[in-house]
Amino acid sequence: MKIKKCVLPVAGLGTRFLPVTKELAKEMLPLVNRPIISYGVEEALASNCSEIIMITGRAKRSLENYFDRSFELEELLKSRGKMDLYNMVVKISNMAEILYIRQREPLGLGHAILCAELVCKNEFFGVALPDDVFINDVPVLSQLIKIHERMGGTVIALEEVAPENVSRYGIVKSQFEVEPGVHKIIDMVEKPKPEDAPSNLAIMGRYVISPTIFPLLQNAKTGAGGEIQLTDALKVLCEQEPVWGVVYKGRRFDCGTQKGWLAANVQLAMDDPELREVILEIVNK
Ligand code: G1P
């Protein structure tokens, strides 16, 4: 069965990016001219996931509004003959079928994924953490879907990180490499101390997940940071079903932090011929 659904957890409060996230949803911060969330949705669509499921919270109404029709704005643009802008605005509201599910309490990523159970309980589904923005020709989610279509099972995006950074991520233990860059995962741990990490292969925010995860999440106890962790449920899953880790191709930016967000903006601007000039002018001065 083809992967059709992609879950995007967006209920997080963005404490790593205060003070701007005190009032503004972190997913609405711009990357050049589009909000961060748009990149996640565009990646899911480019990976042929036509059903987007956002796990949202009360402070995130601006995301729903962004992907909805905006009649006042549309009428204004039409009446002023600004048809390019009108078409751009209408296109956003037509880009995807989006279902919004409320995560009523901030109980962690595992709990956010559990909120999608009603919609995803019978099929494998994609997960994209919107903070992790990948700039790449072949979407990272589609790289994982290709492995799932060939080998079945759950698939997780991996990146090698420096030993001093393992405590920021979920870290996996590989049994062996089945082919270059594809690992059979037999264990994992969320945000370990460097001395406890089973490797330096870190989980990055893209997954294809088996529906078997739902009962495991239901039984999950609170883990690292006092939250229900997806990594803890995936650890149990890899004892029951194949879980593959794929060292993805592409460049990742952690847009949940000021540094990562700034780096992504500079990179995207440098990739644009007009904006590149602006950056180079500032740097050269
Ligand atoms: C989450 C996951 C973690 C993963 C990370 C990637 O952590 O729990 O396993 O390595 O995303 O960005 P968070 O960054 O939400 O704390």
Side-chain angles (χ1 to χ4, degrees):
M1 214 158 98
K2 292 261 178 222
I3 307 283
K4 285 252 150 299
K5 298 179 166 45
C6 184
V7 177
L8 283 84
V10 295
L13 294 177
T15 49
R16 291 186 301 164
F17 215 141
L18 280 166
V20 67
T21 48
K22 180 168 178 280
E23 194 47 41
L24 189 68
K26 62 176 171 171
E27 296 82 4
M28 290 307 293
L29 292 169
L31 284 180
V32 180
N33 64 351
R34 311 202 291 294
I36 289 173
I37 188 61
S38 184
Y39 289 79
V41 171
E42 288 165 36
E43 184 182 333
L45 295 173
S47 307
N48 293 323
C49 293
S50 51
E51 298 166 39
I52 308 293
I53 297 124
M54 286 200 200
I55 311 300
T56 180
R58 61 167 50 248
K60 302 298 177 93
R61 292 308 288 261
S62 54
L63 275 76
E64 295 176 42
N65 292 342
Y66 181 76
F67 290 103
D68 201 354
R69 295 289 298 269
S70 172
F71 291 106
E72 256 186 344
L73 181 61
E74 287 171 26
E75 285 311 309
L76 182 95
L77 293 172
K78 226 186 333 184
S79 71
R80 296 192 178 166
K82 298 190 170 170
M83 295 317 283
D84 283 359
L85 293 178
Y86 169 81
N87 290 331
M88 176 205 278
V89 164
V90 170
K91 204 169 146 197
I92 294 167
S93 53
N94 289 332
M95 72 193 266
E97 279 310 323
I98 308 181
L99 196 73
Y100 298 92
I101 299 177
R102 282 282 189 111
Q103 183 183 12
R104 287 179 295 230
E105 295 171 88
L107 298 180
L109 177 59
H111 179 257
I113 301 303
L114 184 56
C115 293
E117 181 176 23
L118 211 58
V119 190
C120 299
K121 65 179 166 195
N122 296 320
E123 58 197 290
F124 279 79
F125 56 95
V127 171
L129 309 187
D131 281 1
D132 284 336
V133 171
F134 295 91
I135 298 176
N136 196 38
D137 289 343
V138 183
V140 173
L141 185 60
S142 83
Q143 295 175 31
L144 305 190
I145 291 175
K146 279 193 194 106
I147 298 290
H148 167 78
E149 287 172 348
R150 201 148 52 80
M151 310 191 4
T154 292
V155 190
I156 301 172
L158 298 178
E159 181 186 313
E160 270 185 46
V161 297
E164 63 270 25
N165 290 332
V166 290
S167 57
R168 288 164 50 184
Y169 301 100
I171 303 292
V172 302
K173 180 175 183 181
S174 163
Q175 186 180 20
F176 52 81
E177 210 172 349
V178 269
E179 56 187 73
V182 182
H183 295 264
K184 171 107 172 43
I185 305 303
I186 48 166
D187 197 8
M188 61 186 89
V189 51
E190 181 68 13
K191 303 197 171 78
K193 290 190 199 131
E195 59 272 27
D196 298 332
S199 74
N200 65 340
L201 286 172
I203 301 172
M204 296 302 159
R206 296 294 181 275
Y207 312 74
V208 168
I209 301 184
S210 161
T212 309
I213 201 76
F214 293 118
L216 302 178
L217 284 169
Q218 254 160 13
N219 294 327
K221 299 196 173 63
T222 45
E227 298 186 333
I228 296 177
Q229 294 293 348
L230 178 60
T231 304
D232 294 343
L234 287 167
K235 173 189 164 77
V236 183
L237 184 69
C238 70
E239 291 161 12
Q240 304 179 2
E241 290 183 5
V243 175
W244 311 108
V246 176
V247 181
Y248 68 86
K249 294 190 177 63
R251 201 160 164 214
R252 166 187 171 267
F253 297 89
D254 179 1
C255 293
T257 67
Q258 197 176 318
K259 281 184 187 166
W261 171 81
L262 190 60
N265 270 297
V266 172
Q267 181 64 58
L268 286 165
M270 289 297 283
D271 291 345
D272 178 291
E274 249 177 67
L275 297 177
R276 185 186 169 85
E277 294 304 316
V278 179
I279 300 277
L280 292 179
E281 206 184 307
I282 296 168
V283 174
N284 291 335
K285 266 187 198 158

